[in-house]
Amino acid sequence: MENYESWKDLLNPEFYIKMGGFWLILFIIFAETGLFIGFFLPGDSLLFVSGIYAVEIVKESIGSTGSDFLDTSILATAVAIAAIIGNEVGYWFGLKAGPALYKREDSFLFKKKYLFQAHDFFEQHGALAVIMARFLPIVRTFTPIVAGIVKMDKTRFLIDNIVGAFLWSFSLIFAGHYLDALFKNQFDIDLKSHLEMIILIIVLITTLPLIMKFAFGKKKKEEEIS
């Protein structure tokens, strides 16, 4: 895992943790919304696996506090801040140049359909979309841009942005850290040895709502047409 082996490594959270640690994790979280090109990078799984490695990550980057709880809190707080900044940049971009995106051609890093999906999600859930989108891959990348496009109140967006970022970061990172400890102590199972299965489960859980929305949404449109 210490060296890049194939494109598959780009989908493996452990690759980023081993290669770049603390600072690379923060950049990826920022890029996912701030640069709106990170939708293909691991988000939820990266945070969960980062929680498993939290103490090691903090120790190697800024030095351990000697407390697992504090080390994990430092990592979760830093990730939340990176997520907040990313969303604010995405919002600003949507406010300034967002409408032009609807005319932009698709590319490897940009898919217009994701922008429409985020817009529909925002229209359906309103201001809460900023908080809820944090837990949905792809949608969280484009929701702040849509919020900027529709000129959502800046203060309201900032509040929802902060709440969503901290809920997302702390829930996943602490879940990874303490579930790893629980499985070690109670079942003598090291989650680090089962990361592929864990990542697969997380991907299925986080993408299921999108798949259901797409499937039922398509069915509903067909019924309306008929």
Side-chain angles (χ1 to χ4, degrees), residues 5-223:
E5 297 178 358
S6 73
W7 65 268
K8 293 181 180 180
D9 286 337
L10 299 178
L11 304 177
N12 188 344
E14 194 178 19
F15 170 75
Y16 299 100
I17 293 171
K18 293 292 183 66
M19 290 297 289
F22 185 79
W23 301 110
L24 183 56
I25 292 170
L26 298 188
F27 175 75
I28 290 174
I29 297 304
F30 165 78
E32 196 174 24
T33 50
L35 303 180
F36 62 90
I37 60 173
F39 60 86
F40 59 89
L41 296 171
D44 302 301
S45 57
L46 177 61
L47 295 194
F48 187 88
V49 177
S50 294
I52 296 176
Y53 285 95
V55 175
E56 298 171 38
I57 292 171
V58 172
K59 181 179 180 180
E60 292 176 1
S61 57
I62 59 178
S64 177
T65 64
S67 166
D68 283 14
F69 176 79
L70 288 179
D71 287 346
T72 307
S73 297
I74 289 172
L75 178 62
T77 300
V79 166
I81 292 173
I84 291 168
I85 296 173
N87 256 21
E88 289 298 321
V89 172
Y91 175 88
W92 176 85
F93 185 84
L95 196 64
K96 300 297 181 181
L101 289 176
Y102 286 102
K103 301 177 182 179
R104 181 175 174 176
E105 296 296 325
D106 283 354
S107 65
F108 176 72
L109 296 177
F110 175 80
K111 302 296 181 184
K112 194 184 298 183
K113 66 178 181 179
Y114 297 146
L115 188 62
F116 284 113
Q117 288 174 2
H119 183 273
D120 291 343
F121 184 80
F122 190 88
E123 287 294 312
Q124 182 178 351
H125 299 286
L128 281 176
V130 178
I131 297 175
M132 297 169 62
R134 279 294 180 192
F135 297 87
L136 297 173
I138 300 178
V139 174
R140 65 170 162 261
T141 300
F142 293 95
T143 294
I145 299 174
V146 171
I149 293 174
V150 301
K151 297 182 179 179
M152 179 180 177
D153 180 74
K154 294 180 180 179
T155 302
R156 181 70 260 175
F157 176 80
L158 177 60
I159 293 172
D160 290 345
N161 182 17
I162 293 173
V163 172
F166 274 90
L167 283 175
W168 182 56
S169 174
F170 273 75
S171 63
L172 286 172
I173 289 178
F174 271 81
H177 181 74
Y178 285 105
L179 280 177
D180 180 51
L182 175 66
F183 273 79
K184 280 182 181 177
N185 296 331
Q186 299 296 323
F187 309 106
D188 195 27
I189 297 175
D190 187 355
L191 293 187
K192 293 177 183 176
S193 302
H194 304 278
L195 289 182
E196 290 187 2
M197 180 61 68
I198 292 172
I199 293 169
L200 179 60
I201 292 173
I202 293 174
V203 170
L204 288 175
I205 291 174
T206 55
T207 57
L208 185 60
L210 295 178
I211 295 173
M212 292 179 64
K213 181 176 176 59
F214 176 78
F216 287 107
K218 186 176 181 180
K219 183 178 180 181
K220 184 177 181 181
K221 287 183 178 179
E222 291 176 349
E223 291 176 349

